[in-house]
Amino acid sequence: MSSQDALGCLKTLENCLWEAACAIRGPVDASKYKDYILPLLLRKP
């Protein structure tokens, strides 16, 4: 796989993940989304 192909795959993956995050977030404003996601990321096991 050439570096151009790898870069193209990375951009495609990035776009898919971004669209999935937007679909999950739904009507919640992006600035308010951090109130939901940060506690999940910073939670201690």
Side-chain angles (χ1 to χ4, degrees):
M1 184 185 270
S2 71
S3 63
Q4 287 290 336
D5 289 340
L7 185 59
C9 288
L10 184 60
K11 288 292 183 185
T12 302
L13 176 61
E14 182 180 328
N15 288 337
C16 288
L17 290 174
W18 185 258
E19 290 298 321
C22 288
I24 291 169
R25 184 178 63 221
V28 177
D29 185 33
S31 63
K32 293 287 187 181
Y33 190 62
K34 67 177 181 182
D35 296 337
Y36 299 100
I37 205 68
L38 284 178
L40 293 174
L41 294 174
L42 302 176
R43 189 179 134 247
K44 291 184 179 180

